[in-house]
Amino acid sequence: MLNSQPMRSSLQVAPLSIQKTRSGQCDDGSESTATDYYSQADMTPPTTPNGSGTHDEDVLERPPSPGPVFHNYLRAFYPFQPSYAMTDSTVTLPLNEGEVILVHSIHTNGWADGTLLVSGDRGWLPTNYCEAYDPEEMRNLLKALLNFWDLMRSTSVNDTDIFGNQEFMKGLIAGVRYLLDHTDCLTRESPLVQRNDAIRRSRKSLLSELSALVKTAKRLQEAQKLIDADEEINKIVDEMILKAFKIVTKGVKFLDNMNEERKARMPAIAMMTTVMEEVPPTPPAESVSFAPEQMEAGDAGSRCKENRGGPEPAPSDTSEGTQESAGVNKGLSGAYQYQPQPASSTNARRLSQNAPSQGNRLSSTISHRVSLVGPSPLSRRQNLVSERLNACHDIFLSHLGSFIGRLHVQSQSRPQLALAIKQSASSGGELLVVIDVVCAQNSLGIEALIHSRCAMYDHLRNLMRTARDVLLTSGPEMEDVIVPQDNGRLLGAATSCVKATGECVAKTKWVIERIGDFEFEGNCNGDMATFDLDLSALDAIQEVRERSMSNAAESASIAGSSVSETPTASTSVSVTPSAISRHKPALSIDKPLPQVPQTTSPVTEQSAEASHSPQTSRRQSLVDDNASSMVSSVASLRPSLPPLPRISTAIPLEDDYAPTGQSAGHESVEYQSFRAESMTASSSGSASTYLSRDSESSLVSQTSTRATTPDHAPRNQPSLCELSVAESAAVSTIGGVAESTTHDEVEDVESQLLERTYAHELMFNKEGQVTGGSLAALVERLTTHESTPDAMFVSTFYLTFRLFCTPVKLAEALIDRFDYVGEAPHVAAPVRLRAYNVFKGWLETHWREDSDHEALPLIKQFAEFKLGSILPTAGKRLLDLADKVSSNDGTLVPRLLSSMGKTNTSASQFLPSDIPLPPPVVPKSHANALNNWKSGGSSPSILDFDPLEVSRQLTIKQMTLFCSIMPEELLGSKWTKMGGIRAPNVKAMSAFTTGLSNLVADSILQFDEVKKRAHVIKHWIKIGHQCSQLHNYDALMAITCALTDTSIKRLKMTWDAVSPKRKEQLKSLQAIVDFNQNYKVLRARLQDRVPPCLPFLGMFLTDLTFVDVGNPATKTSDTGLIVINFDKHTRTAKSIGELQRFQIPYRLTELPDFQEWLAAQIERVREKDKAGVNTQATHYRKSLLLEPREVQALRTPVEPVSAVTTPVGNGMFGWMRGGSVSQPAQV
Amino acid sequence: MLRTMPRYGYQPCREFHVVVLGAGGVGKSCLTAQFVHQEWIENYDPTIEDSYRTQLTVDGRQVMLEILDTAGADQFVAMRDLYMKTGQGFLLVFSITSRASLEELVSLRDDIIRIKDDENIPIVIVGNKADLTDQRAVDRARAFAISQQWNAPYYESSARTRSNVDEVFIDLCRQMLRREDYVDDSRENDPYYHKADDPSSSKRRRRRKNRDNKEHKCVVL
């Protein structure tokens, strides 16, 4: 496999496949084509070297039907010199042998709009001078360049999210690494590098190019900090693009050298290669490969023949023939100019059953690279099929969305519903049209596409049917209103429709990506009209739809846009050829020919066309009309010149084209156009188009996320990752761009390439937070060398790691990280230090002896041998810690609450300590009552204390409990399991709150007299009010719950004795802690509440429970890897962090005596609870005794008085237990 | 406001409060999460306002459910009263793998009936974790007996496999709807009737209600 086969194969196949691409049609297979190609040698230009001897191999190497693939890169194998004068609208670039081109689009006539990597010039290039370039070793790098290019062009330079860090550089670096890795040249010491001087040199220049780019990227970051640096930034960005190109150029060179070397070492192959090289490299002529099909083709074929027959058919229009400078056979070239087009069109007709209907045919003349970049309005990109697809999908989804939304709204008037469904239907139809066009365009992967298309179609039809049923069945008596009877069905139908559509669109995108984007000029407006029947005809429409759709679906071929196209559009294959071919020649003419080995001058062609048949121009103008959005300048250009001048269209202001390409070298001009294009692109690119290249993102979710930044483009916070910067520390020189890189820098980049990384196993959300990842990737994130890791990430990790891995696993992962970073010497030191710090932090503050001790031996061993040998002091320190931790229960360094909560913003905002404590409100009577109680006297009642002071003391007590809650207790719903033994503080807190509630009820129910009870109620309301003033919502919850408890609430007489004002006050207090709408009020209050504040714990507990059960433990990454759902843990940590934010004591004076009394009271109440009594039921019974049912009859509850004076033992009412509490009610 | 509407005519979306009750560890929160969780929401955030609100169609009628689930905060016993008072329908969830969890329902039901002061309050009994058949500790006969005794339908569900999750809520909705209709009907001629929600009306309702017309149901996986 070390031979050059991959390369050769691409060499051989390239021209053919390019042609196929150009024609936009599928091919029978390369073999037959190639054969025919040769057999027709007399009619075609001399065979190209590529095709000849190696033909068989070619077939062997390639699958029989490779399918037309859009090649992103081409490589010239023959020099090309445009010798004609440039028109202002045409930029044709010269090509040197071996140059690599980044292709933006390919016109059917064989010209490609591409950028020369060597110079950065963009212009038209003859594809028949080129071969596809995609050697396996380079693949990643090439792909990375594409992404880089798209990113640089599409993103506004001020986007600090993107450029604030170096993440965007990663792909290129990884690409280079891949190249070196797969050529066994990763290290300088590799024998290959040592031995072969050429390889060594090219490797070095590749690396220095890379480090230059990295440096430039640094400069970009710097420049962004400047205030008014747009210009500067633009310059840098352009520079970076060029540099990136250079990297690839160097990479190509390197690989060439490598292949030389391989050749040299493998004589057999070398021979073959040389044979190849001996043949004079004549680029293949365009039409050649199509010749066979032309012959077969019916009248179209003969037509072509006619053209061909007269080699110099119309000297008049082939004026180029005369102009051809090189002395190559003019006749041939002249002839060929016309052939490609008709041939390909015929070909298209015949080969693909599913030819696009006429409306779309034109579109296939250019195929574009699917780009991340949004359309540039001037280049008429909106007609690209990928954009069309996205747009239609968007529209369809939004219509369906509003339809679904309507279903959720209670009032659905029939017209509204019908309208919504009609819109959905028509937009769905449009989408289908687009998909059909894509299907028709190519047979690549068509089965899968057809399958999902049919599925989508079925769902859509189902929706229509359902809708029709619903609309029809609702009787006339309710003319304007639809019974929501069938909502469920509609909803289901709509939802599955969304899903099916998503799948189908994704598949279509995949196909487009493979075959290249092309322009879409389907007559969609017409289609829509078909659907646009008025409401009453809705069902009729549907039938129409169904018919046409099923036609389409059933004729296994997609029958093109038939769905919505007029019936004629879906005509059978046979009908069309003649009609089409009629136009086609014209078409082909209007797009100039590719060039035969010698140069053809587009200019002349142009004039030729201009003078050409009226048909052409008519056709053109038609097209133009269709494309209403086309900028006029483009429009005017288009008819006349074939050669796609669109390049310079990118410069928005220029009406016609600056002769940019003329002199290959002006980088400045070129820059300008880059810039200009990127500007327009970024301004016009909608989020949805942004998605286009690689978004496999979950289709369903697109519904909601489309409008926003795509999820899959992680933008990392600057702080998080400067990941791949050339370890910025080393390359810190910011100054001169310096083409000349020092040896050090090269080395630096080199070492960077050596890094092993799990970064690809991380998942991010659009805020740049980690949402998932494998353990190794998370650990890597934790120990990233470039910057301090995100605090939230670190604290989440420490807090929750036991939920997704074992302590042993974590230790292993850290040790592994410690080991493998050794491969990257320049970062080894910081990373190892961080790994050590992670261990240290774990042992010091996050150690849980009970669960973590099993990892201790591992850690000790690591500290002693691995760490100790590299960082002796650190090793020793870690050993010490390990020893301490095992002897000491609990954490070594008590976690400061404030530091624990540091993930949150303002933990430190509690009252400064110099503010004096508020003086306690303790009238003499209070103290006396307490003293009396302490010395054995009767217990004071709550009425003896001032409400403010009661609330303060309650708050102190509760806050103490609250502050002692450890974050561990809140993980994994621990407090609900095993009776909460592993969450003692949570339990204590909730027990106290419940006890308080019971105390409230008890204190009310202990009085027989209505007045006294009312008094106690009033008192508690006052206390509650004070609690709310103190922002003690836990106590407030307890008190209001108690006061509204059934047993209290039902004491009608008592409540009658409470003033309306108090009752109102209670109501407003209740509203604060109302749990309706998920504690809406309380949440709002807590949101920007500055501590001190005591939130209601139960709310957090419920949140945490639902985070725990509502989110799966793992998720699947884009690459299909199952990774830890870190998002779940982040949510958990966030919730806990929010709770911790409030773990700050109040500055209040504690009254020990009162606390004692309070504790005793709570304890007293709790005693009863412990006895297994249902306290609530007890209270209720007591309440019944105090104010029996149907009280109206009895004015005063005389009877129970004696029974209730003392706290009631449960035995008395024991008979009531056993589930018949409600019994008395029925008496 | 809604009583003037003909039964099958246009009716506004009803809003019901459903309370999910059960011992800890029976997976009731899973049940709620599964039911509320729209499958296209990738990450469930329980802290937003309508985390527990969901709309569904029952027998062609729109129902908005607000689900009250004390999951995680069950220790705050004092709140239960308030929850129950708010609820118009109750899911009593136990785990078929725990007999004790079924026993706990007894007192919960007693509380409900006491607090709602209504013996016919809509209730559905749910035996969760039905997928753990090998750990079954409560046989169906037992659950069925209780179902009959309480005159409340019994379902066996599995939040994990998402079986019978929607069904239990829909059944409960049906009960609540039917009950509302019943009230509507019986109030049709009562000019003083105001709102079904009024606690005082429930008392009267309780007495009027005829148990016999309530259908009985047992659904088993």
Short mmCIF file of all heavy atoms in Angstrom, two decimals, chain A residues 358 546 563 746 930 967 1106 1164-1165:
data_model
loop_
_atom_site.label_atom_id
_atom_site.label_comp_id
_atom_site.label_asym_id
_atom_site.label_seq_id
_atom_site.Cartn_x
_atom_site.Cartn_y
_atom_site.Cartn_z
N GLN A 358 -37.75 20.00 -17.34
CA GLN A 358 -37.06 21.06 -18.05
C GLN A 358 -36.63 22.21 -17.16
O GLN A 358 -35.55 22.73 -17.30
CB GLN A 358 -37.98 21.61 -19.13
CG GLN A 358 -38.24 20.60 -20.19
CD GLN A 358 -38.75 21.25 -21.42
OE1 GLN A 358 -38.53 22.45 -21.59
NE2 GLN A 358 -39.40 20.52 -22.28
N GLU A 546 -52.36 14.11 -4.04
CA GLU A 546 -52.12 12.70 -3.85
C GLU A 546 -51.84 12.03 -5.17
O GLU A 546 -50.96 11.20 -5.29
CB GLU A 546 -53.33 12.04 -3.20
CG GLU A 546 -53.28 12.17 -1.70
CD GLU A 546 -54.60 11.88 -1.07
OE1 GLU A 546 -55.35 11.08 -1.67
OE2 GLU A 546 -54.89 12.45 -0.03
N VAL A 563 -44.28 16.11 -8.67
CA VAL A 563 -45.22 16.30 -7.60
C VAL A 563 -45.99 17.58 -7.79
O VAL A 563 -47.20 17.61 -7.76
CB VAL A 563 -44.49 16.41 -6.26
CG1 VAL A 563 -45.50 16.51 -5.15
CG2 VAL A 563 -43.56 15.24 -6.09
N VAL A 746 9.40 25.69 14.28
CA VAL A 746 9.08 24.47 13.57
C VAL A 746 8.98 23.32 14.55
O VAL A 746 8.04 22.53 14.54
CB VAL A 746 10.15 24.17 12.51
CG1 VAL A 746 9.84 22.85 11.86
CG2 VAL A 746 10.18 25.29 11.51
N LEU A 930 -38.83 32.35 79.76
CA LEU A 930 -37.86 31.31 79.44
C LEU A 930 -37.16 30.82 80.71
O LEU A 930 -36.94 29.62 80.89
CB LEU A 930 -36.83 31.85 78.45
CG LEU A 930 -37.31 31.87 77.00
CD1 LEU A 930 -36.31 32.59 76.12
CD2 LEU A 930 -37.53 30.45 76.50
N PRO A 967 -22.82 19.19 49.57
CA PRO A 967 -23.26 18.95 48.19
C PRO A 967 -23.42 17.47 47.85
O PRO A 967 -24.28 17.11 47.06
CB PRO A 967 -22.17 19.61 47.34
CG PRO A 967 -21.07 19.97 48.25
CD PRO A 967 -21.63 20.03 49.62
N PHE A 1106 -35.68 15.68 39.50
CA PHE A 1106 -36.10 15.60 38.09
C PHE A 1106 -34.93 15.76 37.12
O PHE A 1106 -34.97 15.20 36.03
CB PHE A 1106 -37.21 16.61 37.81
CG PHE A 1106 -38.55 16.08 38.20
CD1 PHE A 1106 -39.14 16.43 39.39
CD2 PHE A 1106 -39.22 15.18 37.38
CE1 PHE A 1106 -40.36 15.91 39.76
CE2 PHE A 1106 -40.44 14.66 37.74
CZ PHE A 1106 -41.02 15.03 38.93
N ARG A 1164 -40.76 17.97 70.95
CA ARG A 1164 -42.02 17.48 71.53
C ARG A 1164 -42.97 17.05 70.41
O ARG A 1164 -43.57 15.98 70.45
CB ARG A 1164 -42.64 18.58 72.37
CG ARG A 1164 -44.01 18.24 72.94
CD ARG A 1164 -44.51 19.35 73.84
NE ARG A 1164 -44.71 20.63 73.14
CZ ARG A 1164 -45.82 20.93 72.45
NH1 ARG A 1164 -46.80 20.06 72.39
NH2 ARG A 1164 -45.93 22.09 71.84
N VAL A 1165 -43.08 17.89 69.44
CA VAL A 1165 -43.99 17.58 68.34
C VAL A 1165 -43.50 16.37 67.58
O VAL A 1165 -44.26 15.50 67.16
CB VAL A 1165 -44.10 18.78 67.39
CG1 VAL A 1165 -45.07 18.48 66.28
CG2 VAL A 1165 -44.53 20.02 68.14
#
